[in-house]
Amino acid sequence: MSELLTIKVGAEYVRFATEGFECCQLNKASVFPLAQAQEAKLQCRKLVETGVAAVLIKLTIDEEPFVE
């Protein structure tokens, strides 16, 4: 099991770029390992301070073999 942090705005996720950020689908979102939780919190707080309704989300990933 892996755990990652990401930031969500409404139904979309956030991708950070040098020019700021953009909303996108999960497969394009910026993710942070739990060891970088402080950085993720800081980025989320910055968005909230600019009026963006951002929420920090923990993703939990379970791996299992694919069987059809």
Side-chain angles (χ1 to χ4, degrees):
M1 180 175 68
S2 299
E3 295 180 322
L4 299 167
L5 299 173
T6 192
I7 299 170
K8 201 167 181 185
V9 176
E12 295 187 298
Y13 296 86
V14 174
R15 179 182 182 148
F16 292 99
T18 32
E19 307 84 38
F21 75 96
E22 62 185 7
C23 291
C24 62
Q25 295 179 349
L26 178 59
N27 65 329
K28 304 266 188 200
S30 296
V31 294
F32 303 84
L34 290 182
Q36 292 181 2
Q38 292 303 320
E39 176 65 22
K41 289 178 187 178
L42 175 65
Q43 294 298 333
C44 188
R45 193 171 332 127
K46 285 181 181 179
L47 290 173
V48 170
E49 289 172 356
T50 64
V52 177
V55 178
L56 190 61
I57 300 291
K58 181 172 78 170
L59 303 172
T60 303
I61 303 169
D62 287 323
E63 292 184 33
E64 60 185 58
F66 176 74
V67 179
E68 288 191 43

